């Protein structure tokens, strides 16, 4: 009966609130907005639930009529219509229960479909700053665990409403039968309330321990499976198993405690049911002897007592689940209410076809207040020009190109980025990035075929264009040698391809729509020398006529650039061609001589007290 306790317990973080209030008006009103488009089906579900409840409550009363008006009177021939009535009621109970569950399931699935769709669309619109501050596990908890709780809540609402109406119907029926006996039979309710008040805090703490234990166990699974190569290389399997056993045992003990509390609530309810039945029979028999009660009425009382405690037991079990559902709903709508800072302004126009001029005017940017990673950066990249950006880790190179592609929004008071003279904040982002191609350091491929990955954002591109792009980047040869060529299925994250092959497909994806601006962010950092040679050969063709901004550590990637921009600690410290920068004998020349060995940290002076002094441009 209490299997729901453990459902979804692995889906959230320890610090998240697990239980909400039993009724949260904001959550209910937001869910109602999702139910409203399906109000016709919801109304059918409620009506069938009312029919079901009425039919169930009517059975003991009809039993009373059958006994008192026919059996006691000896009118057995008149029982035929009572038997027929019982048959009709049984059919009504079956049909109403079936349709109520079927229709409500349909409504809840449609609501969840809309909710999942809205959450997916909302998460797609969030900027990278949102994901910088939000753990992926937490987001997945909202999408999976909390949506699952809301799904249970949708079916729970009608069930709870039916239980409440059943209680009301039973109370009205027993009071109509006999007020005095009705009050006697319900005399055990204060005891039941006291038991629930005592049980709830204990159960709450136990369920929290279960949830925390599940989170710890799942975190251990995730960490050790993700780092299995390191674990095996260090031969830590036995020690890790020992540590996991401790966490797993704590989870086991918490589950035992929660299970004991869950099952421990049922015996008192059953005992109180027996006490209420005993009181009813004892005092009911005395009333029959005094002529104040009929035999059929006493039997109806007994049937109502048995039915009375069923919805109470059900409501007690549903109380904690309702609290969890309210907390989940609150977190879901809290996520949906998180504003995106990448929303286009209302008057944003589409960027026309560009030539590819890029200009940064006094750009400063920080991820955290007061900690600028870019400091008053100004730069001009002319159409068709290849500009290489180099510098130590943390110099601000990736931030620069991320702002250009509007992965982050640049505040109005912190400079401007222009493309062909248009401020990138004043045009729709889709029209901006639609004319850009980006290749990142870590190649990421999606589940699907090679063809689908290359055409990922441009499915209308012809196969000839696709093959042309793959050939241009040197990927066509290995693709045609795959088992099914361009129709070969790419497994999750492209694990059935080498890192170099994945990066070549990323290049093909970036250039398939002939973008005017190409951004390469450490695109050759993690590939082998042979693949780099293929890409270097391809870049001469790919970059011709395009504006290209190339971030790279390897000098072979940048020596032939039209201009090299050297950054350190968020500032541009040098600009020029390879020959010009070598002649200056500044930071670039130092990096060149050191073969970029110093790129792991911002360069310090000989005493380690500050940035390496730079010669004036």
């Amino acid at each position: 009966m209490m299997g729901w306790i453990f459902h979804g317990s692995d889906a959230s973080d320890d610090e998240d609130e697990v239980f909400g209030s039993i009724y949260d008006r904001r959550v209910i009103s937001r869910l109602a907005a999702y139910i409203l488009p399906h109000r016709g089906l919801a109304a059918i579900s409620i009506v069938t639930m009312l029919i079901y409840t009425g039919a169930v409550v009517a059975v003991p009363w009809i039993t009373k009529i059958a006994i008192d008006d026919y059996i006691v009177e000896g009118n057995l021939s008149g029982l035929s219509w009572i038997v027929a009535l019982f048959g009709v009621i049984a059919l009504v109970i079956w049909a109403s229960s079936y349709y109520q569950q079927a229709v409500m399931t349909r409504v809840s699935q449609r609501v969840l479909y809309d909710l999942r769709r809205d959450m997916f669309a909302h998460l797609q619109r969030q900027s990278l700053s949102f994901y910088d501050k939000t753990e992926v596990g937490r987001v997945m908890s909202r999408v999976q665990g909390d949506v699952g709780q809301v799904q249970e809540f949708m079916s729970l609402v009608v069930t709870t409403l039916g239980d409440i109406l059943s209680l009301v119907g039973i109370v009205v029926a027993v009071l109509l039968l006999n007020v005095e006996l009705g009050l006697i039979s319900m005399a055990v309710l204060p005891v039941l309330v006291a038991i629930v008040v005592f049980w709830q805090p204990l159960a709450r703490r136990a369920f929290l321990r279960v949830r925390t234990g599940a989170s710890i166990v799942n975190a251990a699974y995730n960490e050790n499976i993700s780092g299995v190569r390191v674990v095996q290389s260090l031969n830590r399997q036995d020690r890790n198993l020992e540590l996991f056993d401790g966490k797993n045992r704590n989870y086991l003990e918490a589950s035992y405690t929660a299970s004991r509390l869950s099952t421990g609530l049922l015996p008192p309810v059953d005992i109180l049911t027996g006490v209420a039945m005993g009181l009813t029979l004892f005092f009911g028999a005395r009333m029959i002897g005094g002529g104040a009660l009929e035999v059929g009425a006493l039997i109806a009382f007994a049937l109502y007592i048995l039915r009375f405690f069923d919805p109470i037991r059900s409501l007690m079990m549903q109380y904690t689940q309702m609290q969890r559902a309210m907390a989940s709903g609150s977190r879901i709508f809290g996520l949906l209410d998180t504003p995106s800072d990448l929303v286009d302004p209302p008057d944003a126009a589409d960027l026309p076809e560009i030539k590819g001029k890029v200009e940064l005017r006094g750009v400063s940017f920080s991820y955290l207040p007061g900690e600028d990673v870019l400091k008053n950066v100004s730069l001009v990249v002319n159409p068709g020009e290849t500009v290489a950006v180099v510098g130590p880790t943390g110099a601000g190179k990736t931030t620069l190109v991320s702002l250009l592609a509007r992965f982050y929004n640049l505040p109005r008071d912190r400079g401007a980025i222009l493309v062909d003279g248009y401020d990138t904040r004043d045009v729709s982002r889709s029209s901006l990035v639609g004319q850009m191609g980006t290749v990142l350091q870590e190649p990421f491929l999606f589940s699907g075929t090679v063809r689908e990955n290359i055409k990922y954002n441009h499915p209308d591109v012809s196969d000839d264009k696709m093959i042309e792009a793959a050939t241009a980047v040197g990927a066509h040869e290995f693709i045609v040698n795959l088992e099914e060529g361009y129709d070969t299925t790419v497994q999750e994250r492209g694990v059935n391809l080498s890192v170099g092959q994945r990066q070549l497909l990323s290049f093909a994806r970036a250039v398939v729509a002939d973008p005017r601006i190409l951004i390469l962010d450490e695109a050759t950092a993690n590939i082998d020398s042979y693949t780099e040679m293929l890409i270097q050969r391809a870049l001469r063709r790919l970059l011709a006529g395009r504006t290209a901004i190339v971030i790279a550590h390897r000098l072979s990637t940048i020596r032939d650039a039209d201009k090299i921009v050297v950054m350190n600690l968020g500032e541009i410290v040098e600009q020029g061609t390879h020959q010009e920068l070598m002649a200056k004998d500044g930071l670039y020349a130092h990096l060149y001589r050191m073969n970029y060995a110093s790129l792991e940290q911002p360069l310090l002076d000989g005493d380690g007290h500050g940035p390496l002094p730079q010669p004036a441009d």
Side-chain angles (χ1 to χ4, degrees):
M1 175 174 286
M2 293 295 289
W4 56 266
I5 291 174
F6 309 107
H7 177 75
S9 59
D10 58 337
S12 191
D13 305 279
D14 298 342
E15 65 271 21
D16 281 345
E17 184 184 4
V18 179
F19 297 99
S21 60
I22 191 66
Y23 172 77
D24 188 324
R25 183 181 60 82
R26 188 178 68 90
V27 173
I28 297 297
S29 62
R30 293 289 293 273
L31 277 176
Y34 281 88
I35 296 174
L36 193 60
H38 316 294
R39 55 187 175 274
L41 289 174
I44 293 173
S45 180
I46 292 174
V47 169
T48 52
M49 179 268 296
L50 292 173
I51 293 172
Y52 171 81
T53 302
V56 169
V57 172
V59 169
W61 197 284
I62 296 173
T63 302
K64 170 199 174 300
I65 294 173
I67 293 172
D68 291 337
D69 293 354
Y70 294 96
I71 296 176
V72 173
E73 297 296 330
N75 184 13
L76 299 181
S77 60
L79 280 176
S80 57
W81 76 270
I82 295 290
V83 173
L85 183 59
F86 272 121
V88 171
I89 288 179
L91 184 62
V92 168
I93 289 174
W94 172 81
S96 59
S97 175
Y98 173 81
Y99 281 105
Q100 182 261 316
Q101 293 292 335
V103 173
M104 195 60 211
T105 298
R106 193 171 180 182
V107 172
S108 64
Q109 290 300 327
R110 289 187 177 184
V111 167
L112 292 172
Y113 171 85
D114 295 336
L115 191 58
R116 284 192 297 264
R117 188 179 186 278
D118 286 352
M119 290 184 72
F120 184 86
H122 183 70
L123 291 170
Q124 292 280 292
R125 289 192 296 266
Q126 291 294 333
S127 69
L128 290 187
S129 61
F130 170 83
Y131 293 100
D132 290 341
K133 296 178 291 187
T134 309
E135 299 173 6
V136 174
R138 189 182 296 271
V139 174
M140 294 308 298
S141 170
R142 300 294 83 82
V143 175
Q144 295 176 332
D146 286 330
V147 169
Q149 289 289 342
V150 172
Q151 179 178 8
E152 292 187 7
F153 169 77
M154 294 293 297
S155 59
L156 198 64
V157 168
V158 175
T159 303
T160 301
L161 183 58
D163 288 336
I164 292 173
L165 289 176
S166 293
L167 281 175
V168 172
I170 290 171
V171 170
V172 170
V174 297
L175 292 178
L176 287 175
L177 285 171
N178 189 287
V179 175
E180 183 180 356
L181 188 58
L183 294 175
I184 291 172
S185 63
M186 288 185 285
V188 299
L189 284 181
V191 179
L192 182 61
V193 171
I195 291 173
V196 173
V197 170
F198 175 77
W199 176 82
Q200 278 293 333
L202 298 176
R204 185 186 183 98
R205 287 194 294 270
F207 300 154
L208 279 171
R209 282 189 61 203
V210 170
R211 188 182 183 92
T212 301
S215 279
I216 292 172
V217 166
N218 285 320
Y221 267 120
N222 181 63
E223 183 178 55
N224 284 279
I225 291 174
S226 299
V228 66
R229 291 178 183 271
V230 176
V231 171
Q232 293 183 359
S233 68
L234 298 175
N235 198 29
R236 273 267 303 195
Q237 296 94 319
D238 293 339
R239 175 58 178 160
N240 285 357
L241 179 59
E242 181 182 340
L243 293 173
F244 179 79
D245 272 345
K247 298 171 183 177
N248 199 25
R249 184 161 296 280
N250 289 335
Y251 182 28
L252 176 67
E253 291 172 357
S255 301
Y256 279 155
T257 301
S259 179
R260 285 195 297 268
L261 278 170
S262 300
T263 55
L265 183 63
L266 300 181
V269 175
D270 292 336
I271 290 171
L272 291 176
T273 303
V275 171
M277 182 66 73
L279 290 173
T280 299
L281 293 176
F282 178 78
F283 288 100
R286 294 170 65 91
M287 289 179 180
I288 290 174
L293 191 70
E294 297 175 316
V295 174
L298 180 58
I299 294 175
F301 256 102
L303 293 175
Y304 278 128
I305 293 300
L306 291 174
R307 292 177 183 271
F308 181 74
F309 283 91
D310 283 340
I312 287 180
R313 187 185 292 108
S314 177
L315 287 170
M316 290 169 64
M317 298 299 100
Q318 293 164 5
Y319 182 83
T320 304
Q321 191 174 1
M322 287 286 284
Q323 287 181 303
R324 293 176 64 182
M326 286 296 171
S328 293
S330 180
R331 288 193 294 266
I332 287 172
F333 293 121
L335 174 61
L336 287 173
D337 290 340
T338 302
S340 171
D341 56 7
L342 278 186
V343 177
D344 292 331
D347 56 347
D350 285 342
L351 185 66
E353 186 174 342
I354 62 175
K355 296 179 180 178
K357 181 178 180 179
V358 175
E359 185 177 359
L360 282 76
R361 295 180 180 174
V363 173
S364 297
F365 184 77
S366 62
Y367 297 104
L368 298 174
E371 299 180 16
D372 281 356
V373 293
L374 291 182
K375 304 168 186 176
N376 197 31
V377 173
S378 294
L379 176 66
V380 176
V381 182
N382 293 312
E385 195 172 44
T386 296
V387 172
V389 183
V390 302
T393 298
K397 307 182 298 295
T398 297
T399 300
L400 187 149
V401 295
S402 295
L403 289 172
L404 173 59
R406 270 187 65 191
F407 290 137
Y408 302 90
N409 246 5
L410 180 65
R412 293 278 176 179
D413 61 346
R414 311 223 68 192
I417 299 176
L418 289 77
V419 173
D420 279 12
Y422 293 90
D423 192 317
T424 57
R425 293 166 297 199
D426 296 331
V427 298
S428 64
R429 185 174 184 273
S430 60
S431 66
L432 171 68
V433 299
Q435 300 186 67
M436 291 182 178
T438 303
V439 183
L440 304 176
Q441 179 177 350
E442 295 293 337
F444 191 101
L445 300 181
F446 297 88
S447 300
T449 63
V450 170
R451 182 191 310 276
E452 290 167 343
N453 270 278
I454 295 177
K455 294 185 177 185
Y456 182 69
N457 197 38
H458 303 281
D460 54 336
V461 167
S462 68
D463 284 354
D464 289 340
K465 278 279 188 183
M466 173 192 68
I467 294 172
E468 181 182 332
T471 303
V473 302
H476 179 71
E477 182 178 349
F478 92 79
I479 293 174
V480 295
N481 288 325
L482 295 175
E483 185 176 350
E484 297 182 57
Y486 283 88
D487 293 318
T488 300
T489 298
V490 177
Q491 296 176 9
E492 185 177 3
R493 293 178 178 264
V495 295
N496 56 330
L497 301 175
S498 70
V499 174
Q501 290 172 332
R502 296 202 296 269
Q503 193 62 297
L504 288 175
L505 291 184
S506 297
F507 268 91
R509 181 172 61 196
V511 302
V512 71
D514 193 23
R516 301 311 307 151
I517 298 175
L518 189 61
I519 298 173
L520 308 181
D521 186 0
E522 303 284 9
T524 60
N526 294 328
I527 58 178
D528 57 87
S529 300
Y530 175 74
T531 304
E532 184 188 11
M533 181 210 47
L534 293 178
I535 291 177
Q536 292 300 330
R537 185 185 302 165
L539 283 177
R540 296 187 183 93
R541 298 190 299 271
L542 292 176
L543 301 184
R546 306 181 201 272
T547 301
I549 299 177
V550 181
I551 297 174
H553 281 168
R554 297 183 182 181
L555 291 176
S556 56
T557 307
I558 62 175
R559 286 188 58 171
D560 296 331
D562 298 309
K563 178 164 51 181
I564 299 172
V565 175
V566 185
M567 297 187 69
N568 192 32
L569 297 173
E571 298 178 291
I572 294 178
V573 295
E574 292 179 340
Q575 293 187 52
T577 64
H578 173 72
Q579 292 77 12
E580 291 170 346
L581 294 176
M582 289 299 295
K584 285 184 177 182
D585 197 29
L587 176 58
Y588 179 81
H590 176 78
L591 295 175
Y592 184 78
R593 286 192 292 268
M594 297 293 292
N595 196 25
Y596 274 33
S598 304
L599 287 177
E600 294 306 313
Q601 57 185 356
L603 295 179
L604 303 178
D605 63 20
D607 298 325
H609 295 309
L612 188 72
Q614 309 301 329
D617 288 342

